[in-house]
Amino acid sequence: MAAALRRKPTPLLSTAPHLLTRRRHWIRSLCSSHLGFLSRSPDPEADANASPVPGVKVLESFSEVFEVGSRTITIETGKIARFANGAVVIGMGDTKVLSTVASSKGDGVRDFLPLTVDYQEKRYAQGVIPTTFMRREGAPKERELLCGRIIDRPIRPLFPAGFYHEVQVMASVLSSDGNQDPDVMAANATSAALMLSDIPWNGPIGMIRVGRIDGQFVFNPTMDELSSSDLNLVYACTRDKTLMIDVQAREISEKDLKAGLKLAHPEAVKYIDPQIRLAEKAGKRKREYKLSMITERTIEKIKGLAEGPIEAVFTDPTYGKFERGEALDKITQDVKAKLEEEDDEESLKVLPKAVDMVRKKIVRRRIIEKGLRVDGRRFDEVRPLYCEAGTYPILHGSSLFSRGDTQVLCTVTLGAPGDAQRLDSIVGPPTKRFMLHYSFPPFSINEVGKRTGLNRREVGHGTLAEKALLAVLPPEDEFPYTVRVNSEVMSSDGSTSMATVCGGSMALMDAGIPLREHVAGVSVGLVSDVDPSTGAINDYCILTDILGLEDHLGDMDFKISGTRKGITAIQLDIKPAGIPLDIICECLEPARKGRTHILDRMEKEINAPRTIHDGNTPRLATLKYSNDSLRRLLGSLGSHRKRIESETGARIAVSDGAVTIVAKNQEIMEKAREKVDFLVGREIEVGRIYKGVVTSVKEYGAFVEFNGGKQGLLHISELSHEQVSKVTDAVSVGQELSLVCIGQDVRGNIKLSLKATLPPRGSEKKNAETQDSVAPTKQAVNVWASVENVPICEENEESNKLSDCEGDETDSGTYSMPPIVIRSASECDAQDFSAVKHINLKTKQTTKSTPRPYGQSSLHKNGNKTAVSSTQVRSKKENDKSQTISQSYVKDDASKKPKSSGVSNIDAASLKLGDTVTAKVYQIRAHGLVLELGDGIRGMYKFEVNGRRDFKVGNELHVRCSSFSSKGIPVFSLLQDD
């Protein structure tokens, strides 16, 4: 029944004209194609029998694909953000940026253009969740504000005069591959979106980034290419005029910069035609907006009332900034009173704007026609300068810089590497170690204002000065500290950002930071006479070091900073709808002359980084430690580090195996170093004196704790220049001693000497022996694990000392001892006990089975103590990886001859001080002998003064181990019976 009703024709439609029936189908077809709805089945019979289903929406989009340099770029509209007045997605690789524009529908009754540009980089663009507490993006970051300025500066001059409707631009990064910086892409997308919208705008524009690698210019460089480039140039233009320039460089010359600008212009123009074609496909017709224009009658009337008094004020060069401003305000009030008498409401509404236009025409006419500036200076003259470095000595660095009425106070604060700013950006480095923060308080222009958060102007000016100074900072590996420069504007009358560059450079040198040379900056202005019908420039004047008023009434503010060698940073802002590139390039030479003049004055105040000479000067120290030492310093949850910071007031940062201590003065630094040394200790150096405490006393010496818990062995032979029979006669447990590190023995023990700190006594022979026993202060240490496989030493006739293998023991050179293993006294006792027990067991077994092998050790009774003669004793463990021997000192009489006549089968790991062995003369040298101990192991014997020298190769000698060289080679002394 329901199907029959659906098939029954409607009487009204059956009687309608045939044309109306066709129009019904035409309306449905039009709506389907325009709105994007399509039916699933075109058959009417099928539609009648099937149940209703939703349509499929097809998003109609338009795009343009083109190439700039070696990059393929796409611009697309219609797919997303369809309700925006204009929306464009631009793509380069896998980086996509969306830019939308919208305009208010109000009447626009105001005297300025309320243009807002919001740029945002959300973390989803790189697949990252924000690390904030709420896990979402917060207030705009510095980079987002800077990118918003990059978009704002070139598009603002192209809005028509009198267009004061609110306009908002929102650019956001949809996806990023990390290869391209999205800021330039966002600016080009904004230009295309304005072209598609119904907002009146005299675009389009093109923007491009240019780098230079190995002298070759690169267009749209990747982030990796940009890191190795000495130029980062962002250039924006119309088809024939320049709109904006932003440069960061490493002292590029004016000639090379001109070449880069002239190459950038034709490449940037390639963005313009695709935008025009896209606007022809999908653009809207420009809507009629109300323009707030001042009538010619009103202009002429106000000009007649105010022109004469205003010109009189500008004619008098004695006026200062505020005196001139007060005089102009009085003129405005006088004109207002006359208009109120005439009851001219129309003129009263636009009075401030009209008076400003009259002032602008007067100042520009005086400059172009008469060559007279507001303050009476020549076009290329810089205002009077005042420089002062070290204004506040308690600070790390400070300076005061004045140019005319513009005054800036700059301070420098040094910090640890861990104090670097962390950057939360989808491109670029993760941290920044050099920061410049610019502050423009209201009192600097005698106004009342409220301090708020990040200000776009302050961020932009600070970043410009930061770029300028970054080029002369030392590399991070040479100067790894974090640096913060604060610029406080004390008074402002034009170009405070360039004054910040000059003051910041002097403050950095005052802080002792090794800058290559000074950086200075100056602002150049332009006043032009433009033909109103064609827009061509008939005449122009370039002004060096412009005042605030010349900036306001002129055509551009061209900020250029650099050294004597070249340019480091540029920022160009203009007010008209473009300036020819040739005029821009012409401004570079006056800027260079003005910059050189300022550099001369700065160098008279301070021409080199200061040296640290004052006890109150802030100090920084960087110490390298092993991971174990760092763990001892930090303690549980950083408790040790926090305690040191609270007790001393110093700041301690730990990163990448280094400890950085930042202290306000030398006294605090010494306290912090002492506490750090107590926990960690310093790098051990041979020849350096250390304070230590005796922890245990043994028969052969004493163990001393020093340098942050390290242990060293003070052998009995190093206690005094005279013979010491018992260790306890010289030192006791808990005694504090000043000891000299004389090296390291073959087992890894640090060797200490007390007698090296005492004045020598006795004969020349004793003095010579004492000097032999104490290692030189400067020598090349090479720690050997054993004395095996020692290569044969070669004779060197020019040497007056016996050489060690592979080098001379007395080679000079400062060095630090490498990490070594310290054996404690308890470990030594355990090893001695194990060795004695093993020797006793092995001796009993040997006497029962076979005669004792030739040269084997025996036990000697000496009262209640047992001494082990270690001529040939070996203690093999189950893993066969280490060999031990008793460390007891042999107390045989000098006249007692060991019961051995052959070469001992000695092991390098078992040999220790006091061992007596039988060795063969392997080689006779000019100053001593090379002895063979067996199994390829060799040692050395140095000829004594007036001693025996009648040796022959192959002679067997009975010798005692007296010391080890710095390379671990045993040094022997000859027993008296030989």
Side-chain angles (χ1 to χ4, degrees):
M1 182 67 178
L5 289 175
R6 285 197 299 269
R7 286 194 298 268
K8 185 177 180 180
T10 304
L12 182 60
L13 292 179
S14 62
T15 58
H18 180 65
L19 181 60
L20 182 60
T21 305
R22 291 183 58 191
R23 185 167 181 81
R24 180 190 62 157
H25 294 288
W26 176 79
I27 292 174
R28 189 183 72 173
S29 175
L30 176 63
C31 294
S32 298
S33 61
H34 187 69
L35 297 179
F37 292 99
L38 296 178
S39 176
R40 289 183 178 273
S41 175
D43 188 1
E45 295 295 332
D47 288 344
N49 296 327
S51 59
V53 294
V56 178
K57 187 172 185 179
V58 178
L59 299 178
E60 186 177 16
S61 62
F62 304 90
S63 64
E64 288 288 331
V65 181
F66 56 100
E67 290 187 359
V68 176
S70 60
R71 316 293 181 193
T72 301
I73 301 169
T74 62
I75 52 176
E76 182 183 35
T77 187
K79 189 173 183 179
I80 59 177
R82 298 166 66 91
F83 282 174
N85 202 331
V88 168
V89 175
I90 188 169
M92 187 185 304
D94 290 330
T95 300
K96 308 290 182 182
V97 181
L98 167 67
S99 182
T100 61
V101 296
S103 178
S104 66
K105 304 301 187 292
D107 55 4
V109 179
R110 52 179 67 87
D111 61 352
F112 66 95
L113 172 63
L115 172 63
T116 304
V117 179
D118 295 321
Y119 173 90
Q120 192 173 25
E121 294 177 345
K122 291 193 174 182
R123 302 297 290 167
Y124 71 77
Q126 281 196 324
V128 177
I129 296 176
T131 57
T132 58
F133 178 77
M134 299 298 294
R135 294 297 186 268
R136 62 186 304 166
E137 289 78 12
K141 299 182 287 291
E142 284 190 14
R143 171 176 163 78
E144 293 175 328
L145 295 179
L146 294 172
C147 292
R149 283 172 55 88
I150 287 287
I151 302 170
D152 181 290
R153 286 157 52 193
I155 66 174
R156 186 179 290 271
L158 298 182
F159 286 94
F163 179 78
Y164 299 144
H165 293 263
E166 186 175 4
V167 178
Q168 185 179 34
V169 175
M170 299 191 70
S172 58
V173 182
L174 302 179
S175 65
S176 174
D177 56 8
N179 293 326
Q180 293 293 332
D181 195 328
D183 56 354
V184 172
M185 300 173 61
N188 287 300
T190 301
S191 173
L194 286 169
M195 291 294 294
L196 293 172
S197 69
D198 60 11
I199 302 172
W201 189 63
N202 300 321
I205 69 167
M207 183 183 290
I208 193 170
R209 172 173 271 111
V210 181
R212 191 177 71 164
I213 303 174
D214 297 330
Q216 300 295 322
F217 291 101
V218 180
F219 302 108
N220 289 328
T222 63
M223 297 303 297
D224 292 338
E225 292 174 337
L226 206 58
S227 63
S228 58
S229 172
D230 62 354
L231 174 66
N232 184 358
L233 165 64
V234 178
Y235 180 83
C237 63
T238 60
R239 196 176 294 275
D240 56 351
K241 293 183 178 180
T242 300
L243 288 168
M244 190 270 296
I245 298 175
D246 194 278
V247 173
Q248 179 180 1
R250 299 174 186 169
E251 299 178 288
I252 187 173
S253 66
E254 282 78 6
K255 179 181 178 181
D256 292 342
L257 181 62
K258 290 179 184 178
L261 292 173
K262 292 183 178 180
L263 288 174
H265 187 90
E267 292 295 323
V269 170
K270 293 181 180 179
Y271 285 91
I272 294 178
D273 289 334
Q275 297 179 43
I276 296 175
R277 292 195 298 266
L278 188 66
E280 291 174 351
K281 295 178 184 178
K284 300 177 182 178
R285 179 177 297 177
K286 297 300 180 182
R287 192 174 61 172
E288 293 294 332
Y289 283 85
K290 181 180 179 180
L291 302 181
S292 301
M293 305 296 292
I294 303 176
T295 63
E296 288 295 331
R297 185 192 68 82
T298 302
I299 289 291
E300 291 299 326
K301 184 176 182 178
I302 295 176
K303 179 180 178 181
L305 296 173
E307 184 177 20
I310 291 175
E311 189 164 3
V313 171
F314 287 129
T315 304
D316 189 354
T318 61
Y319 276 109
K321 175 179 179 178
F322 292 103
E323 292 81 5
R324 186 185 302 112
E326 291 174 358
L328 294 175
D329 289 340
K330 186 178 184 302
I331 294 172
T332 304
Q333 294 301 322
D334 294 341
V335 174
K336 181 180 180 181
K338 293 179 181 179
L339 293 177
E340 287 176 347
E341 292 177 0
E342 299 176 2
D343 198 18
D344 190 348
E345 294 293 336
E346 180 182 355
S347 299
L348 286 172
K349 290 181 180 179
V350 296
L351 177 62
K353 187 73 174 178
V355 171
D356 188 67
M357 294 176 65
V358 173
R359 288 189 297 177
K360 183 175 183 179
K361 290 181 179 179
I362 292 173
V363 172
R364 296 168 71 89
R365 185 180 67 247
R366 283 173 52 82
I367 292 175
I368 292 177
E369 296 178 0
K370 301 180 181 180
L372 300 175
R373 299 180 67 171
V374 174
D375 56 354
R377 285 182 293 143
R378 300 187 307 272
F379 288 166
D380 60 349
E381 185 178 353
V382 178
R383 288 173 286 175
L385 302 173
Y386 175 80
C387 301
E388 179 180 298
T391 306
Y392 301 103
I394 195 65
L395 303 180
H396 294 195
S398 61
S399 70
L400 191 65
F401 179 85
S402 296
R403 185 177 57 238
D405 290 332
T406 296
Q407 186 183 63
V408 172
L409 172 67
C410 290
T411 61
V412 173
T413 307
L414 304 179
D419 294 329
Q421 181 182 359
R422 296 182 181 179
L423 304 178
D424 192 14
S425 175
I426 61 177
V427 292
T431 59
K432 182 170 68 173
R433 72 182 182 102
F434 177 67
M435 301 164 282
L436 193 148
H437 296 154
Y438 169 95
S439 178
F440 191 91
F443 67 78
S444 64
I445 51 175
N446 195 25
E447 290 185 358
V448 176
K450 184 179 180 181
R451 300 296 297 171
T452 57
L454 288 178
N455 180 280
R456 288 178 182 266
R457 182 180 181 277
E458 291 181 338
V459 171
H461 281 44
T463 302
L464 173 62
E466 181 179 296
K467 292 178 181 178
L469 295 171
L470 191 62
V472 297
L473 284 180
E476 188 172 1
D477 54 350
E478 297 179 8
F479 192 82
Y481 308 115
T482 299
V483 182
R484 183 190 184 216
V485 178
N486 269 83
S487 173
E488 303 287 339
V489 178
M490 297 291 110
S491 60
S492 172
D493 190 15
S495 192
T496 54
S497 60
M498 295 296 95
T500 296
V501 174
C502 302
S505 180
M506 291 194 302
L508 289 170
M509 281 200 176
D510 182 59
I513 299 176
L515 301 186
R516 292 203 307 274
E517 54 184 313
H518 268 309
V519 183
V522 68
S523 185
V524 177
L526 178 71
V527 175
S528 60
D529 180 20
V530 181
D531 188 345
S533 59
T534 62
I537 296 178
N538 299 325
D539 195 6
Y540 63 90
C541 294
I542 298 174
L543 309 178
T544 302
D545 184 24
I546 58 176
L547 296 171
L549 186 63
E550 291 171 335
D551 181 13
H552 174 66
L553 302 178
D555 292 334
M556 76 174 185
D557 184 8
F558 195 8
K559 302 181 180 70
I560 308 171
S561 61
T563 65
R564 295 186 184 275
K565 296 180 180 179
I567 295 171
T568 59
I570 283 179
Q571 179 177 298
L572 170 64
D573 294 321
I574 67 171
K575 295 177 179 63
I579 297 175
L581 181 58
D582 292 338
I583 297 179
I584 299 296
C585 294
E586 187 180 344
C587 296
L588 297 176
E589 182 59 24
R592 186 191 64 80
K593 293 181 179 179
R595 186 172 74 244
T596 303
H597 173 71
I598 298 172
L599 287 171
D600 291 339
R601 179 64 185 86
M602 292 168 57
E603 289 175 354
K604 289 181 181 179
E605 175 64 21
I606 179 171
N607 59 5
R610 298 193 192 277
T611 57
I612 297 177
H613 57 82
D614 188 2
N616 292 325
T617 306
R619 305 298 173 118
L620 294 96
T622 301
L623 312 174
K624 296 286 186 178
Y625 291 113
S626 63
N627 292 334
D628 293 337
S629 300
L630 292 178
R631 282 192 289 270
R632 290 198 301 272
L633 172 62
L634 293 175
S636 177
L637 300 177
S639 59
H640 291 166
R641 180 180 63 178
K642 294 177 182 177
R643 188 179 71 253
I644 295 176
E645 290 179 340
S646 63
E647 291 177 353
T648 62
R651 297 185 60 190
I652 299 176
V654 180
S655 62
D656 298 332
V659 176
T660 302
I661 305 176
V662 183
K664 292 184 178 180
N665 51 51
Q666 183 63 26
E667 182 181 357
I668 295 177
M669 173 62 73
E670 291 176 356
K671 290 181 180 179
R673 287 290 298 268
E674 288 179 2
K675 293 184 178 295
V676 170
D677 291 344
F678 179 79
L679 290 174
V680 180
R682 301 185 185 181
E683 189 108 4
I684 299 177
E685 298 178 3
V686 174
R688 187 170 185 172
I689 298 177
Y690 297 90
K691 291 183 179 180
V693 178
V694 178
T695 58
S696 63
V697 176
K698 304 298 177 183
E699 189 176 356
Y700 48 85
F703 282 92
V704 180
E705 183 175 346
F706 71 107
N707 198 38
K710 295 181 175 61
Q711 282 198 345
L713 176 62
L714 176 60
H715 194 266
I716 189 172
S717 62
E718 297 294 336
L719 289 174
S720 176
H721 295 293
E722 299 177 355
Q723 186 175 1
V724 178
S725 58
K726 293 179 62 178
V727 178
T728 53
D729 294 341
V731 295
S732 60
V733 176
Q735 183 179 353
E736 292 186 0
L737 301 173
S738 293
L739 306 169
V740 174
C741 178
I742 60 173
Q744 175 184 5
D745 64 18
V746 70
R747 299 182 182 90
N749 295 329
I750 297 176
K751 297 192 297 182
L752 303 174
S753 174
L754 178 61
K755 70 180 181 181
T757 63
L758 303 175
R761 303 178 189 176
S763 62
E764 295 181 357
K765 180 177 180 179
K766 290 186 177 181
N767 290 338
E769 293 174 353
T770 302
Q771 293 175 0
D772 292 341
S773 63
V774 180
T777 301
K778 296 182 180 180
Q779 54 184 330
V781 171
N782 183 12
V783 181
W784 288 16
S786 66
V787 200
E788 297 181 5
N789 302 323
V790 178
I792 301 174
C793 302
E794 296 181 0
E795 186 77 31
N796 185 356
E797 298 298 339
E798 298 178 358
S799 173
N800 58 359
K801 295 183 180 181
L802 182 62
S803 299
D804 285 345
C805 298
E806 298 182 358
D808 193 347
E809 184 183 1
T810 59
D811 290 343
S812 62
T814 305
Y815 71 95
S816 297
M817 184 174 292
I820 56 179
V821 179
I822 308 300
R823 294 175 57 215
S824 65
S826 59
E827 291 174 337
C828 291
D829 292 343
Q831 187 173 353
D832 293 345
F833 178 77
S834 176
V836 173
K837 183 178 179 180
H838 182 76
I839 292 169
N840 291 334
L841 179 61
K842 189 172 181 179
T843 303
K844 293 180 180 179
Q845 294 175 353
T846 304
T847 54
K848 289 182 180 179
S849 56
T850 58
R852 181 169 57 120
Y854 182 77
Q856 185 176 343
S857 301
S858 60
L859 300 180
H860 304 274
K861 297 289 184 179
N862 187 5
N864 295 327
K865 298 182 181 179
T866 302
V868 182
S869 177
S870 54
T871 55
Q872 215 176 21
V873 177
R874 290 189 181 182
S875 176
K876 292 186 178 181
K877 297 184 179 180
E878 294 179 357
N879 55 10
D880 292 332
K881 292 183 179 180
S882 62
Q883 297 173 339
T884 59
I885 191 168
S886 171
Q887 295 186 1
S888 300
Y889 189 78
V890 178
K891 296 188 176 181
D892 294 343
D893 294 333
S895 60
K896 187 173 182 179
K897 184 176 180 180
K899 298 180 180 180
S900 61
S901 58
V903 178
S904 304
N905 188 15
I906 194 70
D907 186 87
S910 64
L911 188 65
K912 69 177 186 62
L913 297 177
D915 287 348
T916 57
V917 297
T918 300
K920 278 187 177 181
V921 177
Y922 181 82
Q923 190 180 47
I924 302 176
R925 305 292 298 274
H927 302 283
L929 306 176
V930 177
L931 304 177
E932 183 173 0
L933 310 180
D935 293 338
I937 303 172
R938 298 187 179 92
M940 61 182 181
Y941 164 72
K942 187 176 181 180
F943 292 148
E944 298 178 357
V945 179
N946 299 325
R948 176 184 172 186
R949 293 175 181 259
D950 55 338
F951 299 99
K952 296 182 180 179
V953 176
N955 285 355
E956 291 186 357
L957 303 176
H958 299 291
V959 293
R960 175 179 293 162
C961 181
S962 59
S963 64
F964 290 89
S965 71
S966 61
K967 300 178 182 179
I969 301 175
V971 180
F972 296 94
S973 60
L974 191 64
L975 295 182
Q976 294 182 1
D977 57 353
D978 288 321

